[in-house]
Amino acid sequence: MAVQSSPKLITIDRHINEEQDLHPEATGEFTFLLHDFTFAIRLIEREIRRAGLTDILGLTENMNVHGEAVRKLDQFAYEVIYRAMDHNGNLCVMACEESKDLMKIPERYPKGKYVLVFDPLDGSSNIDVNITLGTIFGFYKRLDPTLRTDGTEEDVLQPGRKLVAAGYVLYGSSTVMVYTTGHGVNVFTYDPTVGEFLLTKRHLKMPKWNNQYSVNEGHYYKWDSKFQKYIDFIKTPSPDKKRPYSLRYVGTAVADVHRVLHYGGIFMYPADKSHPNGKLRLIYEANPLSFVIEQAGGKATNGEIDILDIVPTSIHQRTPLFIGSEDNVNELMEFLNS
Ligand code: AHG
Ligand code: MN
Ligand code: MN
């Protein structure tokens, strides 16, 4: 039986190795990093899939069958990523949503040339109701890659343009990892029966436009009038039937951006009276998501400049975020610039 026309079966590890072969100067350190990172993701995925059961099997509200305290999933995800990544010798520092300060590599382990930033669990408010969650991540090279000392705040506060790799994991009806090193976006789907992420979409490009929008419209009266006018416009029926746009909002940025990546449209978390700088965090939410969307042919802005061009000034700084298909973002900008 002929099998020549079947697509290549390829795991994420093999894909990363192949990408490394394109860079003769590569030392393989990054390949190890990604390997350890996807191991942490496998552990988080397992915990998420059992989240409902942990309660049922627990002896008390806070104890599981092993008599251990049931940790909140976002704390669990944070710890697992840190513990999988702190000792491989390739990172010099980490930063994440759950840690106020920089996360240092323990003294006993060697330091490397990469920096990891991450949101261990995105969409925390959806954990208890079985709705899609995510993990967001980005890797930078430290400012002086020859150093083997602890990384510094300056190493973390680099603009998104400097990301060497970024992506997100979406724990949905299946678990997928969407990943880019700046050479297109690839999608890997997790097969839990063999414990592997398999390449399912190569060089994904997003639609140029779609009539779908995603925003927490409950904040309407706290928005500025230009943004209100844009929302009014996209909801007003037009003779060509392109409007009204349809509203889709999960409340997990990873899920909302993932839908936009596939179907097109726009996801927005603007500034409002209660969130003067928006709600989402620049370094470990907006930047990695924006890198993916740009690589797929879309756009991401804070309303003034591209998200990836913002020079961060603090680890947990927030930013307004408007992200999606090129034509949708351009249409919004006409209102914001009016
Ligand atoms: P996190 O769970 O990491 O704190 O992030 C939640 C974020 C993001 O995922 C989502 O888009 C946004 O919060 C939703 O905010 P609202 O509930 O204000 O709409
Ligand atoms: Mn988040
Ligand atoms: Mn989070």
Side-chain angles (χ1 to χ4, degrees):
M1 196 162 58
V3 289
Q4 288 94 324
S5 60
S6 307
K8 195 153 89 172
L9 265 178
I10 181 164
T11 64
I12 195 164
D13 282 351
R14 172 53 64 96
H15 172 83
I16 293 161
N17 276 325
E18 285 186 5
E19 277 210 333
Q20 186 192 318
D21 292 344
L22 300 174
H23 302 275
E25 75 287 359
T27 56
E29 289 165 71
F30 195 70
T31 309
F32 284 123
L33 265 184
L34 250 296
H35 184 82
D36 290 343
F37 187 75
T38 54
F39 173 58
I41 294 298
R42 279 174 253 238
L43 295 176
I44 297 168
E45 123 89 30
R46 186 192 63 182
E47 208 63 16
I48 287 175
R49 297 298 172 206
R50 297 189 316 178
L53 292 172
T54 321
D55 265 0
I56 292 170
L57 300 175
L59 295 176
T60 72
E61 210 173 273
N62 297 315
M63 293 288 225
N64 65 17
V65 275
H66 312 291
E68 302 156 344
V70 177
R71 279 161 296 177
K72 287 188 73 178
L73 264 180
D74 34 14
Q75 179 70 17
F76 174 83
Y78 152 67
E79 284 177 19
V80 161
I81 294 176
Y82 183 73
R83 287 172 55 208
M85 305 301 291
D86 69 349
H87 56 274
N88 58 36
N90 300 313
L91 291 179
C92 61
V93 70
M94 298 182 237
C96 97
E97 185 193 339
E98 304 299 330
S99 169
K100 188 171 143 290
D101 301 314
L102 289 183
M103 296 153 70
K104 288 176 123 190
I105 304 301
E107 236 164 70
R108 59 188 181 281
Y109 299 132
K111 320 291 179 287
K113 65 175 178 228
Y114 290 101
V115 174
L116 169 61
V117 296
F118 61 102
D119 176 359
L121 210 63
D122 178 57
S124 309
S125 68
N126 284 327
I127 291 177
D128 294 339
V129 284
N130 223 340
I131 291 175
T132 304
L133 304 170
T135 294
I136 310 174
F137 62 94
F139 290 96
Y140 291 95
K141 241 180 216 165
R142 66 188 302 173
L143 294 176
D144 180 351
T146 62
L147 292 179
R148 288 296 173 265
T149 50
D150 278 327
T152 64
E153 192 162 351
E154 286 71 45
D155 291 317
V156 173
L157 300 181
Q158 301 189 54
R161 274 294 159 230
K162 298 264 179 179
L163 282 163
V164 293
Y168 59 82
V169 181
L170 171 131
Y171 311 95
S173 48
S174 59
T175 293
V176 294
M177 178 180 278
V178 177
Y179 171 74
T180 181
T181 53
H183 304 283
V185 175
N186 295 306
V187 180
F188 300 85
T189 305
Y190 187 61
D191 181 340
T193 61
V194 291
E196 290 282 7
F197 280 93
L198 301 173
L199 181 62
T200 40
K201 283 182 193 128
R202 199 186 271 273
H203 297 310
L204 184 70
K205 286 290 169 200
M206 63 188 297
K208 224 166 161 272
W209 177 84
N210 192 13
N211 52 3
Q212 286 192 1
Y213 73 110
S214 187
V215 69
N216 184 341
E217 208 163 333
H219 296 302
Y220 183 90
Y221 290 103
K222 297 195 231 166
W223 293 334
D224 81 40
S225 63
K226 288 179 180 176
F227 190 65
Q228 285 176 332
K229 283 201 179 101
Y230 163 74
I231 296 293
D232 295 343
F233 170 78
I234 60 177
K235 295 200 299 186
T236 308
S238 63
D240 63 6
K241 305 248 184 333
K242 286 186 167 173
R243 292 180 281 128
Y245 289 12
S246 287
L247 171 63
R248 298 279 185 275
Y249 193 72
V250 179
T252 297
V254 165
D256 285 314
V257 169
H258 189 68
R259 185 191 54 253
V260 167
L261 175 70
H262 284 81
Y263 292 166
I266 187 164
F267 168 77
M268 301 163 282
Y269 211 113
D272 61 47
K273 288 198 182 97
S274 321
H275 308 95
N277 299 310
K279 180 183 180 190
L280 299 178
R281 277 59 56 104
L282 173 64
I283 289 188
Y284 42 79
E285 291 182 315
N287 269 336
L289 296 174
S290 301
F291 190 32
V292 168
I293 288 289
E294 273 204 12
Q295 281 292 313
K299 286 180 100 167
T301 169
N302 65 359
E304 286 170 9
I305 62 170
D306 287 351
I307 292 289
L308 297 181
D309 289 325
I310 300 173
V311 181
T313 52
S314 67
I315 306 173
H316 300 290
Q317 91 184 62
R318 295 174 192 272
T319 177
L321 176 65
F322 308 96
I323 184 168
S325 296
E326 188 184 345
D327 288 353
N328 291 87
V329 174
N330 289 342
E331 179 180 63
L332 162 73
M333 289 309 295
E334 283 174 28
F335 282 84
L336 298 185
N337 291 329
S338 65

